[in-house]
Amino acid sequence: MLSHIRLITYGLSIALCWAAPSLAEEAPLQNDQNEAGALETIEVRGRAQQLYRVGETRTGKLPSDSLSSSLVISSINEQLIADQGARDAQDLYRNISGVSLFSYAGVTARGFRQEEIFYDGVRGDPYISFNVPQLFNVERVDFLKGPAGMLYGPGAPGGLFNYVTKKPSQEFSARLAGVVGDESRYGGSFEITGPLNDLMSGRFGVFFEDRDTPRDHSEQDTGIVDLGLSFHLGIGDLVLQATRVEQDNPGSRLRGVPVDDQGNFLTDRRWNHNEPTDFLNLESSSYQIYFEGESGTLSYDAIARWVDAEQEQQYHEPFFLYGAQGNVLFRADLVDTAEFVSRQWRDQFREQKSLSFAANLIWSHEGDTFGNRLLAGIEYFDTESTLENNLAFPTGAAIANFLAGNSQPDDIVPLSLRNPVYGVSQPQNYNTFSLNFDDVVSERSGFYLLDELTVGKLSVIGGLRYDRFDSEEGDNSFDDNHATYRAGLVYKVREDLSLFAHWADSYEPQDILDQIPERGGPFDPTQGTVLEVGIKTELFAGRVQSSISVYQIIRDNVLQLSEEDADRDGQDDFIALGEVESKGFELDLAIDITDDWVLTAAYAYNDTRITKAIDDIVPGVETSRFSDSVGDRFANAPLHQFGAWTRYQFPQWDLAFALGIDYVDDRVNFLDVTVPSYTVFDASIMWEPAPFSVLLRISNLTDKTYAESGFGLASGHFPGDARSAFLEVAREW
């Protein structure tokens, strides 16, 4: 908390020194307007493609609008982020067809768990491990669907996130905002950007917000300082950026709430397995240099990104469920008799340093009926990480002492599900042992070529990439190389309608820490392929924008948790499934119903099932952690998912109302227990009498009790947030 205040105070002093002359320069214009009696007002008017849509994106490496690309990219712009009052990545998933929450920053994307996050087209996520990316310094979020190995190297076949950060602008603007809400929520932010002289522009942003989470004695305390400096050179623009993030989250290294064999919570959704003294803290610094320019038929860009992040956490991890008599419950059909849970103790320190570099060169030729664009690029990514891990496990004596009401100082005291008593456990007295991983090094490098040939209405796209991988941890090492490919077709039937198809593959080496024998390794890399076809439109002069696609993804050697540290060595145990198939249909839609009424909607049908089980490859191998028979559904992959957001505005009153819906169908957890479907409604009211704006945001209008994703017995299902509301008031210049 104090470090946040110091950061923000220092940042505001810089901003005010910068803002003073800029505001003074603006003052004569405002005086002139006042004297004329014509103070400009800003209407809340905007059509769908202007309000919530992005015209051209570079996430596909070649800058393209949606109708000219064979890729399917969902883009969430700054306006939609603001209208939905989104603070972190989890607030956005309803806007992306085929994406739902898995855990923390991870999602289920087209049926598969996905955790890869890029910033401005390169790796280097400052929110390591269990911290979720914040959106304060983010201008746009792109989700590139399907395998992207040829474009971005190793990754899951469901897709990847690319966060586009806010850059300095040559146009002056500033915004000061404050927020209050329930769950003891309060905070504020300030942003300013504009020219420093004819050749330079700058940006400064500071953000702080503190709030309780819906779980008991759990909080989120976030501070961000963001700086940018842009140099407008003759051959291009050079942008320097630096961002500092600090998060202090008491009681927030969260797992789920235990459920019965029907997926219903066994206790209140606010139940927390952590003690009030547990915490999850992050300190992260990222630095980025970006250059972009063009000369004739050539355009070029290069980016380097450095991230230095440290995460500390102390928490009590759910271990086993017990009945009232101290009997361990191993099966889902028995857990409705559970009374308490035993807990592990984990005291962890993570440090991760990463360096990313990428450079692209694009040659373009455009004629009346013939065009060609050729991309050549290179990428490099290096990480060094450390994990210091002190653990303690519950003993039989601790369980007996708990049942007798006579817990000892060194006991990891179990926790009742219905009448939890906190503060009895004393972590400083636990008998711990260390499990450390020092100097874990991973290095990746690759180069790629992509060509787009256009003849008349037809575009043909082809690309290839070659990657090398090296990872080391102690006596364990892994090195390999792999080539990935991509091919696509786009046929523009009309200027407002195109047909597309593409095929691509992916390759993902297992994490070096999952390769060790204690976790079941070594494992072969996972590989995936996708075949996708669809239609994109911008009908009725752009009033109806849509993307419709069907796809099939095949993925081999999918790594899944088989036993959650069953042998008590501090290592979760994994197993590689044989083959998983994902088939689906997706629809993304944006409609101007009237000039003042817009609607965005995202629907996905996805059927992800095991098509070749481990038993088919290694006879006699079994796992009790999850169902692994051919035909079984994959964990946390819903059959249906639907999200929508609609906004109606009254320009004469500077007023707008918005309503959102988020529906996720039944899923199964790792034990094949149902995670029930849910439907949640949200709303926003925006009042914007320039230069002020007011946002009232209400989440989970009906206070629905639901699970966002599922895991196992003791770890339970992740509960969705209870109803909450906040009010944000801002002033803009």
Side-chain angles (χ1 to χ4, degrees):
M1 178 71 173
L2 290 177
S3 59
H4 292 349
I5 294 173
R6 285 194 295 269
L7 274 173
I8 293 168
T9 302
Y10 175 69
L12 281 174
S13 65
I14 297 174
L16 291 173
C17 291
W18 179 19
S22 299
L23 293 175
E25 292 172 5
E26 291 291 323
L29 295 177
Q30 294 175 354
N31 291 337
D32 291 344
Q33 289 172 338
N34 290 334
E35 291 171 5
L39 180 62
E40 181 182 1
T41 60
I42 301 173
E43 290 188 348
V44 194
R45 185 182 300 273
R47 294 180 58 186
Q49 68 268 32
Q50 299 167 337
L51 199 64
Y52 292 150
R53 290 291 158 173
V54 176
E56 184 177 274
T57 175
R58 300 177 63 92
T59 294
K61 297 290 187 180
L62 288 174
S64 297
D65 63 87
S66 178
L67 266 67
S68 301
S69 174
S70 64
L71 299 172
V72 181
I73 301 174
S74 292
S75 294
I76 304 169
N77 68 6
E78 192 174 2
Q79 183 66 57
L80 184 54
I81 292 172
D83 283 2
Q84 295 186 351
R87 292 301 193 263
D88 63 41
Q90 293 184 355
D91 295 329
L92 298 180
Y93 301 149
R94 72 145 54 87
N95 303 293
I96 308 171
S97 60
V99 171
S100 56
L101 178 69
F102 196 104
S103 64
Y104 311 109
V107 299
T108 296
R110 290 188 168 182
F112 298 106
R113 188 173 188 174
Q114 193 279 342
E115 296 180 310
E116 288 282 4
I117 291 176
F118 288 69
Y119 278 77
D120 294 317
V122 293
R123 287 179 168 86
D125 183 6
Y127 301 92
I128 62 174
S129 193
F130 303 98
N131 292 86
V132 179
Q134 304 295 301
L135 301 174
F136 169 69
N137 63 322
V138 172
E139 177 182 290
R140 191 177 79 247
V141 178
D142 288 346
F143 187 76
L144 171 59
K145 298 183 177 183
M150 186 257 117
L151 296 173
Y152 288 98
L160 60 86
F161 282 98
N162 181 36
Y163 289 74
V164 181
T165 60
K166 295 178 180 178
K167 309 294 193 302
S169 172
Q170 274 293 92
E171 295 185 8
F172 174 82
S173 65
R175 184 176 190 269
L176 177 66
V179 62
V180 294
D182 59 1
E183 305 283 5
S184 303
R185 186 173 195 156
Y186 68 94
S189 63
F190 179 71
E191 296 179 85
I192 183 171
T193 186
L196 300 175
N197 56 41
D198 290 341
L199 299 178
M200 295 175 58
S201 57
R203 167 182 156 76
F204 172 81
V206 61
F207 171 89
F208 169 72
E209 196 162 289
D210 183 32
R211 68 184 181 98
D212 296 340
T213 79
R215 305 287 288 274
D216 289 338
H217 59 257
S218 173
E219 301 176 35
Q220 292 182 351
D221 180 359
T222 301
I224 302 173
V225 174
D226 186 50
L227 299 170
L229 193 61
S230 179
F231 300 87
H232 310 290
L233 310 176
I235 58 173
D237 290 342
L238 179 68
V239 182
L240 308 179
Q241 295 172 266
T243 304
R244 175 70 173 178
V245 178
E246 293 186 4
Q247 289 189 304
D248 300 325
N249 299 335
S252 289
R253 173 54 168 86
L254 295 166
R255 293 295 192 184
V257 175
V259 298
D260 61 22
D261 62 344
Q262 300 300 310
N264 303 306
F265 292 125
L266 292 175
T267 186
D268 191 276
R269 59 183 167 178
R270 293 183 177 271
W271 181 86
N272 192 345
H273 52 86
N274 286 304
E275 294 289 326
T277 53
D278 293 350
F279 59 85
L280 169 64
N281 296 340
L282 173 74
E283 294 185 3
S284 175
S285 299
S286 55
Y287 308 93
Q288 182 170 293
I289 180 170
Y290 177 72
F291 177 74
E292 177 185 12
E294 61 180 46
S295 177
T297 59
L298 293 178
S299 61
Y300 35 81
D301 64 80
I303 184 172
R305 182 175 177 84
W306 168 258
V307 177
D308 186 352
E310 294 182 356
Q311 182 191 77
E312 292 185 85
Q313 53 183 343
Q314 293 181 359
Y315 64 101
H316 288 77
E317 174 83 359
F319 199 43
F320 284 112
L321 288 173
Y322 288 81
Q325 306 305 315
N327 51 309
V328 182
L329 305 174
F330 291 104
R331 300 203 328 258
D333 59 350
L334 299 176
V335 298
D336 57 350
T337 64
E339 291 293 331
F340 64 92
V341 61
S342 62
R343 300 178 292 171
Q344 304 175 40
W345 165 249
R346 299 186 183 183
D347 178 5
Q348 297 179 338
F349 172 78
R350 284 178 168 84
E351 182 178 23
Q352 182 172 298
K353 299 179 180 180
S354 66
L355 173 65
S356 305
F357 174 78
N360 299 288
L361 178 66
I362 300 174
W363 172 79
S364 302
H365 169 75
E366 294 191 21
D368 293 337
T369 59
F370 172 83
N372 193 49
R373 292 195 295 175
L374 177 64
L375 164 72
I378 58 172
E379 284 186 353
Y380 175 81
F381 180 62
D382 178 83
T383 61
E384 296 181 9
S385 60
T386 296
L387 170 60
E388 297 175 4
N389 195 11
N390 297 308
L391 303 102
F393 289 93
T395 62
I399 305 300
N401 291 336
F402 173 75
L403 291 170
N406 187 31
S407 295
Q408 301 301 305
D410 60 347
D411 287 345
I412 306 179
V413 180
L415 196 65
S416 169
L417 291 177
R418 295 166 183 84
N419 298 293
V421 177
Y422 299 99
V424 180
S425 292
Q426 302 178 35
Q428 68 273 17
N429 295 320
Y430 293 165
N431 296 314
T432 64
F433 69 95
S434 296
L435 180 66
N436 299 329
F437 299 95
D438 298 320
D439 299 324
V440 181
V441 179
S442 177
E443 184 177 295
R444 304 176 180 181
S445 59
F447 66 87
Y448 46 90
L449 293 171
L450 179 66
D451 189 66
E452 178 188 78
L453 176 65
T454 301
V455 180
K457 297 182 177 182
L458 179 66
S459 295
V460 181
I461 303 100
L464 62 89
R465 179 186 180 115
Y466 176 80
D467 285 285
R468 286 196 56 83
F469 317 91
D470 294 283
S471 298
E472 293 182 5
E473 186 283 316
D475 296 331
N476 299 292
S477 63
F478 170 81
D479 63 88
D480 200 0
N481 58 81
H482 192 78
T484 47
Y485 305 90
R486 175 177 169 244
L489 294 172
V490 178
Y491 182 73
K492 275 201 169 182
V493 180
R494 305 188 316 229
E495 285 301 311
D496 59 358
L497 187 151
S498 65
L499 309 178
F500 71 93
H502 76 92
W503 174 92
D505 63 350
S506 67
Y507 173 84
E508 189 176 13
Q510 312 290 358
D511 189 284
I512 186 65
L513 295 183
D514 295 336
Q515 297 280 39
I516 61 179
E518 291 83 357
R519 295 190 177 184
F523 299 103
D524 292 333
T526 64
Q527 298 187 58
T529 59
V530 65
L531 179 62
E532 183 168 7
V533 297
I535 304 171
K536 298 177 184 179
T537 74
E538 289 186 0
L539 302 175
F540 305 106
R543 298 184 70 93
V544 177
Q545 300 176 336
S546 67
S547 174
I548 305 170
S549 61
V550 294
Y551 62 86
Q552 178 193 48
I553 300 174
I554 304 292
R555 194 181 189 195
D556 295 318
N557 298 319
V558 180
L559 204 62
Q560 289 285 78
L561 196 65
S562 62
E563 289 288 348
E564 191 170 329
D565 197 14
D567 50 9
R568 300 193 180 200
D569 63 354
Q571 305 277 1
D572 291 336
D573 300 313
F574 292 88
I575 195 168
L577 291 177
E579 181 183 271
V580 181
E581 180 186 47
S582 168
K583 297 183 293 186
F585 164 84
E586 292 177 349
L587 168 64
D588 291 277
L589 192 64
I591 305 176
D592 289 337
I593 302 173
T594 71
D595 285 346
D596 297 314
W597 187 9
V598 299
L599 168 71
T600 66
Y603 168 76
Y605 168 81
N606 174 270
D607 188 11
T608 303
R609 296 183 183 273
I610 298 168
T611 50
K612 187 182 295 181
I614 190 69
D615 289 339
D616 298 336
I617 303 172
V618 184
V621 174
E622 297 180 354
T623 170
S624 60
R625 174 62 177 169
F626 58 89
S627 180
D628 63 354
S629 299
V630 170
D632 283 353
R633 293 175 61 188
F634 211 47
N636 286 315
L639 281 175
H640 301 275
Q641 176 251 337
F642 175 74
W645 182 260
T646 185
R647 165 175 162 152
Y648 190 88
Q649 56 200 21
F650 300 89
Q652 65 274 27
W653 299 326
D654 303 312
L655 188 65
F657 296 88
L659 179 69
I661 181 174
D662 186 15
Y663 169 77
V664 178
D665 200 7
D666 288 351
R667 294 133 289 155
V668 295
N669 70 7
F670 290 110
L671 293 171
D672 207 29
V673 173
T674 297
V675 184
S677 64
Y678 66 84
T679 303
V680 175
F681 296 93
D682 305 310
S684 292
I685 302 174
M686 291 80 70
W687 182 44
E688 299 178 342
F692 296 96
S693 64
V694 179
L695 169 69
L696 174 62
R697 169 68 174 166
I698 306 173
S699 301
N700 194 357
L701 279 168
T702 62
D703 201 21
K704 172 78 172 179
T705 296
Y706 66 101
E708 291 186 302
S709 63
F711 281 77
L713 289 179
S715 54
H717 292 175
F718 276 89
D721 288 351
R723 180 171 52 215
S724 64
F726 70 81
L727 182 71
E728 182 181 70
V729 180
R731 205 284 193 196
E732 297 185 3
W733 291 266

